[in-house]
Amino acid sequence: NICILCGGVGQACCGVAVPGTCVVGATCNAITNQCTADKAIDISGGDGTVCALFQSGQVRCWGAKSTMLGANTDSGVAAPPIPGLEDAVNISVGPGVACAVRATGAVVCWGSELPGGGSSATIVQISGITNGKQVSADLHTCVRTADSKVWCWGDNSNGEFGVGTTSSIATSIPQQMLGLTDAVSVAACDRATCILHSGGQVSC
């Protein structure tokens, strides 16, 4: 028998060319069946935790919030990829929570301050969002969808949702911002939400 090294950068993928057949930090090229370096393409940080989004769609985090790392310990180096998340296209980290938009348009979050309360080191899917494009997490979380609308959940005690009311009770059910159909970017920031419109205007 002849042993052939595989799974490392520049080596053949182990087994069939599917995610997870290369070592951490490498991704399998399905065309060449070769492991290549998995480069970070986006980064987001908040409240002592930083997460990086990689070309492979995986997310790795490090810092002081253990449940946000997808692990059971704090870490000064990047923890292994968040379990079950291999198709992220956008990420955002807020106080106690991290969220990602998947390639399917679904949105998932993890951490110690999940929508509506609770804590999980594994991803939890947000109900009702199927066409997400961008997520912004803070004390509340908002998602811009493919149809240029914005949906928010979490703390609306200062009217952050833009639905004409305030509520001191955090909700895990996304609420659609009223009268908005031209959003190109959303920023959830502490006690406010700001929108960049397709015409270049900004509203908060």
Side-chain angles (χ1 to χ4, degrees), residues 61-97:
C61 304
W62 60 95
K65 297 288 186 178
S66 59
T67 54
M68 292 173 66
L69 308 182
N72 292 319
T73 181
D74 298 347
S75 177
V77 297
I82 299 298
L85 184 59
E86 290 107 14
D87 62 346
V89 295
N90 181 256
I91 59 171
S92 182
V93 178
V97 68

Short mmCIF file of all heavy atoms in Angstrom, two decimals, residues 61-97:
data_model
loop_
_atom_site.label_atom_id
_atom_site.label_comp_id
_atom_site.label_asym_id
_atom_site.label_seq_id
_atom_site.Cartn_x
_atom_site.Cartn_y
_atom_site.Cartn_z
N CYS A 61 -14.43 32.58 14.73
CA CYS A 61 -14.48 33.71 15.66
C CYS A 61 -13.43 33.55 16.75
O CYS A 61 -12.95 32.45 17.03
CB CYS A 61 -15.87 33.79 16.31
SG CYS A 61 -17.25 33.91 15.12
N TRP A 62 -13.09 34.67 17.38
CA TRP A 62 -12.17 34.65 18.52
C TRP A 62 -12.52 35.82 19.43
O TRP A 62 -13.16 36.77 19.03
CB TRP A 62 -10.71 34.74 18.06
CG TRP A 62 -10.35 35.96 17.28
CD1 TRP A 62 -9.80 37.12 17.77
CD2 TRP A 62 -10.52 36.17 15.88
NE1 TRP A 62 -9.61 38.03 16.75
CE2 TRP A 62 -10.04 37.47 15.58
CE3 TRP A 62 -11.03 35.39 14.84
CZ2 TRP A 62 -10.06 38.00 14.29
CZ3 TRP A 62 -11.06 35.91 13.55
CH2 TRP A 62 -10.57 37.20 13.28
N GLY A 63 -12.10 35.72 20.70
CA GLY A 63 -12.35 36.80 21.64
C GLY A 63 -12.89 36.32 22.96
O GLY A 63 -12.60 35.21 23.41
N ALA A 64 -13.73 37.16 23.58
CA ALA A 64 -14.09 36.96 24.98
C ALA A 64 -15.47 36.37 25.22
O ALA A 64 -15.83 36.13 26.35
CB ALA A 64 -14.00 38.30 25.71
N LYS A 65 -16.26 36.17 24.20
CA LYS A 65 -17.60 35.64 24.38
C LYS A 65 -17.64 34.19 23.90
O LYS A 65 -17.77 33.91 22.71
CB LYS A 65 -18.62 36.47 23.61
CG LYS A 65 -18.71 37.92 24.08
CD LYS A 65 -19.38 38.00 25.44
CE LYS A 65 -19.59 39.46 25.85
NZ LYS A 65 -20.27 39.59 27.13
N SER A 66 -17.55 33.25 24.83
CA SER A 66 -17.34 31.86 24.44
C SER A 66 -18.44 31.28 23.58
O SER A 66 -18.17 30.57 22.61
CB SER A 66 -17.15 30.99 25.69
OG SER A 66 -18.29 31.07 26.54
N THR A 67 -19.72 31.57 23.86
CA THR A 67 -20.79 30.99 23.05
C THR A 67 -20.78 31.55 21.63
O THR A 67 -21.30 30.92 20.72
CB THR A 67 -22.17 31.25 23.68
OG1 THR A 67 -22.32 32.65 23.92
CG2 THR A 67 -22.32 30.48 24.98
N MET A 68 -20.19 32.73 21.44
CA MET A 68 -20.12 33.31 20.10
C MET A 68 -19.02 32.68 19.26
O MET A 68 -18.94 32.92 18.06
CB MET A 68 -19.92 34.82 20.19
CG MET A 68 -21.14 35.54 20.76
SD MET A 68 -20.84 37.29 21.05
CE MET A 68 -20.62 37.88 19.38
N LEU A 69 -18.16 31.90 19.88
CA LEU A 69 -17.08 31.25 19.16
C LEU A 69 -17.49 29.89 18.60
O LEU A 69 -16.75 29.26 17.87
CB LEU A 69 -15.86 31.07 20.07
CG LEU A 69 -15.36 32.31 20.82
CD1 LEU A 69 -14.12 31.97 21.62
CD2 LEU A 69 -15.08 33.45 19.86
N GLY A 70 -18.69 29.44 18.97
CA GLY A 70 -19.09 28.09 18.60
C GLY A 70 -18.31 27.07 19.39
O GLY A 70 -18.16 25.93 18.98
N ALA A 71 -17.78 27.48 20.54
CA ALA A 71 -16.98 26.61 21.39
C ALA A 71 -17.34 26.89 22.84
O ALA A 71 -18.17 27.74 23.14
CB ALA A 71 -15.49 26.87 21.15
N ASN A 72 -16.72 26.17 23.75
CA ASN A 72 -17.05 26.32 25.16
C ASN A 72 -15.95 27.03 25.95
O ASN A 72 -15.85 26.88 27.16
CB ASN A 72 -17.32 24.94 25.78
CG ASN A 72 -18.59 24.32 25.23
OD1 ASN A 72 -19.58 25.01 25.05
ND2 ASN A 72 -18.55 23.03 24.95
N THR A 73 -15.12 27.77 25.27
CA THR A 73 -14.03 28.47 25.94
C THR A 73 -13.72 29.76 25.21
O THR A 73 -13.94 29.88 24.01
CB THR A 73 -12.77 27.58 26.00
OG1 THR A 73 -11.74 28.30 26.68
CG2 THR A 73 -12.30 27.21 24.61
N ASP A 74 -13.23 30.75 25.97
CA ASP A 74 -12.74 31.97 25.33
C ASP A 74 -11.45 31.64 24.59
O ASP A 74 -10.77 30.68 24.91
CB ASP A 74 -12.47 33.05 26.38
CG ASP A 74 -13.73 33.47 27.13
OD1 ASP A 74 -14.82 33.10 26.66
OD2 ASP A 74 -13.61 34.13 28.16
N SER A 75 -11.11 32.43 23.58
CA SER A 75 -9.93 32.11 22.79
C SER A 75 -9.30 33.37 22.21
O SER A 75 -10.00 34.23 21.69
CB SER A 75 -10.30 31.15 21.65
OG SER A 75 -9.17 30.88 20.84
N GLY A 76 -7.97 33.45 22.30
CA GLY A 76 -7.24 34.54 21.69
C GLY A 76 -6.88 34.25 20.25
O GLY A 76 -6.33 35.09 19.55
N VAL A 77 -7.16 33.04 19.79
CA VAL A 77 -6.94 32.66 18.40
C VAL A 77 -8.26 32.18 17.82
O VAL A 77 -9.19 31.85 18.55
CB VAL A 77 -5.87 31.54 18.27
CG1 VAL A 77 -4.54 32.04 18.79
CG2 VAL A 77 -6.30 30.29 19.02
N ALA A 78 -8.34 32.14 16.51
CA ALA A 78 -9.59 31.76 15.86
C ALA A 78 -10.00 30.34 16.23
O ALA A 78 -9.21 29.41 16.12
CB ALA A 78 -9.46 31.90 14.35
N ALA A 79 -11.22 30.21 16.72
CA ALA A 79 -11.77 28.90 17.04
C ALA A 79 -12.07 28.15 15.74
O ALA A 79 -12.06 28.73 14.65
CB ALA A 79 -13.04 29.07 17.87
N PRO A 80 -12.34 26.84 15.81
CA PRO A 80 -12.74 26.11 14.61
C PRO A 80 -13.99 26.74 13.99
O PRO A 80 -14.70 27.50 14.66
CB PRO A 80 -13.02 24.70 15.14
CG PRO A 80 -12.18 24.59 16.36
CD PRO A 80 -12.19 25.96 16.98
N PRO A 81 -14.29 26.46 12.73
CA PRO A 81 -15.46 27.03 12.08
C PRO A 81 -16.74 26.78 12.87
O PRO A 81 -16.88 25.75 13.52
CB PRO A 81 -15.49 26.32 10.71
CG PRO A 81 -14.06 25.94 10.47
CD PRO A 81 -13.49 25.61 11.81
N ILE A 82 -17.66 27.75 12.80
CA ILE A 82 -18.96 27.59 13.47
C ILE A 82 -19.64 26.34 12.92
O ILE A 82 -19.82 26.21 11.70
CB ILE A 82 -19.84 28.84 13.23
CG1 ILE A 82 -19.17 30.09 13.79
CG2 ILE A 82 -21.22 28.64 13.82
CD1 ILE A 82 -18.94 30.08 15.28
N PRO A 83 -20.01 25.41 13.77
CA PRO A 83 -20.60 24.14 13.30
C PRO A 83 -21.88 24.35 12.48
O PRO A 83 -22.73 25.16 12.85
CB PRO A 83 -20.91 23.40 14.61
CG PRO A 83 -20.02 24.02 15.63
CD PRO A 83 -19.87 25.46 15.23
N GLY A 84 -21.97 23.64 11.37
CA GLY A 84 -23.18 23.67 10.55
C GLY A 84 -23.31 24.87 9.64
O GLY A 84 -24.33 25.03 8.97
N LEU A 85 -22.29 25.73 9.60
CA LEU A 85 -22.35 26.93 8.75
C LEU A 85 -21.22 26.89 7.74
O LEU A 85 -20.08 27.19 8.05
CB LEU A 85 -22.25 28.18 9.62
CG LEU A 85 -22.39 29.54 8.92
CD1 LEU A 85 -23.73 29.63 8.20
CD2 LEU A 85 -22.24 30.68 9.93
N GLU A 86 -21.57 26.49 6.50
CA GLU A 86 -20.57 26.39 5.44
C GLU A 86 -20.93 27.20 4.20
O GLU A 86 -20.31 27.07 3.16
CB GLU A 86 -20.38 24.92 5.02
CG GLU A 86 -19.69 24.06 6.06
CD GLU A 86 -20.68 23.10 6.72
OE1 GLU A 86 -21.78 22.93 6.19
OE2 GLU A 86 -20.32 22.55 7.78
N ASP A 87 -21.97 28.06 4.32
CA ASP A 87 -22.44 28.80 3.15
C ASP A 87 -22.77 30.25 3.49
O ASP A 87 -23.65 30.85 2.88
CB ASP A 87 -23.65 28.11 2.53
CG ASP A 87 -24.84 28.04 3.49
OD1 ASP A 87 -24.66 28.28 4.71
OD2 ASP A 87 -25.96 27.74 3.02
N ALA A 88 -22.06 30.84 4.46
CA ALA A 88 -22.31 32.23 4.83
C ALA A 88 -21.83 33.18 3.73
O ALA A 88 -20.80 32.95 3.11
CB ALA A 88 -21.61 32.56 6.14
N VAL A 89 -22.60 34.24 3.50
CA VAL A 89 -22.22 35.26 2.52
C VAL A 89 -22.12 36.64 3.14
O VAL A 89 -21.62 37.58 2.50
CB VAL A 89 -23.22 35.28 1.34
CG1 VAL A 89 -23.16 33.98 0.55
CG2 VAL A 89 -24.63 35.56 1.81
N ASN A 90 -22.59 36.79 4.38
CA ASN A 90 -22.52 38.08 5.06
C ASN A 90 -22.59 37.81 6.56
O ASN A 90 -23.30 36.90 7.00
CB ASN A 90 -23.69 38.98 4.62
CG ASN A 90 -23.65 40.35 5.28
OD1 ASN A 90 -24.42 40.62 6.20
ND2 ASN A 90 -22.76 41.22 4.83
N ILE A 91 -21.83 38.59 7.36
CA ILE A 91 -21.83 38.38 8.81
C ILE A 91 -21.90 39.71 9.54
O ILE A 91 -21.57 40.76 8.98
CB ILE A 91 -20.57 37.62 9.29
CG1 ILE A 91 -19.29 38.39 8.90
CG2 ILE A 91 -20.55 36.20 8.77
CD1 ILE A 91 -18.02 37.82 9.52
N SER A 92 -22.34 39.66 10.80
CA SER A 92 -22.32 40.83 11.66
C SER A 92 -22.23 40.37 13.10
O SER A 92 -22.88 39.40 13.49
CB SER A 92 -23.57 41.69 11.46
OG SER A 92 -23.52 42.86 12.26
N VAL A 93 -21.41 41.06 13.89
CA VAL A 93 -21.24 40.74 15.30
C VAL A 93 -21.71 41.91 16.14
O VAL A 93 -21.33 43.06 15.89
CB VAL A 93 -19.76 40.43 15.62
CG1 VAL A 93 -19.58 40.15 17.12
CG2 VAL A 93 -19.26 39.25 14.80
N GLY A 94 -22.55 41.63 17.13
CA GLY A 94 -23.03 42.65 18.04
C GLY A 94 -22.76 42.25 19.48
O GLY A 94 -22.08 41.25 19.73
N PRO A 95 -23.28 43.00 20.45
CA PRO A 95 -23.08 42.66 21.85
C PRO A 95 -23.72 41.32 22.21
O PRO A 95 -24.93 41.21 22.32
CB PRO A 95 -23.77 43.81 22.60
CG PRO A 95 -23.86 44.92 21.61
CD PRO A 95 -24.03 44.25 20.28
N GLY A 96 -22.91 40.30 22.34
CA GLY A 96 -23.40 39.00 22.77
C GLY A 96 -24.02 38.15 21.69
O GLY A 96 -24.51 37.05 21.96
N VAL A 97 -24.02 38.61 20.43
CA VAL A 97 -24.63 37.81 19.36
C VAL A 97 -23.87 37.99 18.06
O VAL A 97 -23.30 39.05 17.80
CB VAL A 97 -26.12 38.19 19.17
CG1 VAL A 97 -26.25 39.59 18.59
CG2 VAL A 97 -26.85 37.17 18.30
#
